[in-house]
Amino acid sequence: MIEVTMKVNGREITRTVPGRRLLVEFLREDLRLTGTHVGCDTSQCGACTVHLNGRSVKSCTVLAAACDGAEVTTIEGITPTEGLHPMQQAFADTHGLQCGYCTPGMIMTALSLVRPGGGMPDREELRELLHGNLCRCTGYQNILAAIEKGAEMMHRGECDA
Ligand code: FES
Ligand code: FES
């Protein structure tokens, strides 16, 4: 067992974990942050995407023990107490989800693609950059539109993020 201390959604947390515990298991089972989903056991789907030290990662590919001293942000961490983050709102407005299973991971990846100052990759680059996030429902068109709209709303200052 290994003691780890990390900041999760701004809160410092210390726990003892088995060396093989995955970050996604730690978040979902130990911290009950169940907005981070598990959609595969092959590291392909991206439903488990979170931010680790400011970069999007698939949390099923990271050991919790390796996150000692790290900062982790999950979908719960970007959701305001009231209402939605603009990227979440854009997904709702643009029908960027159907069952919603992939959505937390899509949103965490999308947020990592919004450049400081509000710039975004163009549509073709966006398609390429999203290749690690799979959606079984939407056909992706509305997800792309949602991400572009979310980035624009963030740029206009319609959120604190
Ligand atoms: S659960 Fe992590 S990539 Fe599918
Ligand atoms: S909305 Fe169902 S998997 Fe993406």
Side-chain angles (χ1 to χ4, degrees), residues 6-130:
M6 64 181 95
K7 206 177 256 190
V8 180
N9 298 335
R11 205 174 117 229
E12 191 162 287
I13 284 164
T14 300
R15 292 279 197 288
T16 303
V17 295
R20 295 171 65 92
R21 193 135 183 89
L22 298 173
L23 179 59
V24 68
E25 296 168 336
F26 178 73
L27 294 170
R28 287 181 54 84
E29 293 165 32
D30 296 359
L31 305 186
R32 308 305 299 163
L33 293 170
T34 53
T36 301
H37 293 163
V38 177
C40 70
D41 57 9
T42 52
S43 302
Q44 285 180 310
C45 75
C48 62
T49 303
V50 300
H51 291 181
L52 178 61
N53 294 326
R55 301 183 63 180
S56 63
V57 297
K58 294 179 176 180
S59 58
C60 71
T61 66
V62 180
L63 293 172
C67 296
D68 191 41
E71 285 199 29
V72 177
T73 306
T74 70
I75 191 74
E76 289 89 348
I78 63 113
T79 307
T81 319
E82 285 183 28
L84 295 172
H85 184 287
M87 190 60 81
Q88 294 172 309
Q89 190 63 55
F91 269 72
D93 293 348
T94 317
H95 306 292
L97 68 149
Q98 287 181 30
C99 80
Y101 201 82
C102 69
T103 312
M106 285 287 181
I107 287 174
M108 297 312 285
T109 297
L111 289 174
S112 72
L113 302 178
V114 179
R115 295 179 184 134
M120 272 297 282
D122 66 29
R123 182 63 77 103
E124 279 320 300
E125 284 176 297
L126 201 48
R127 278 185 206 283
E128 189 60 32
L129 291 166
L130 273 185

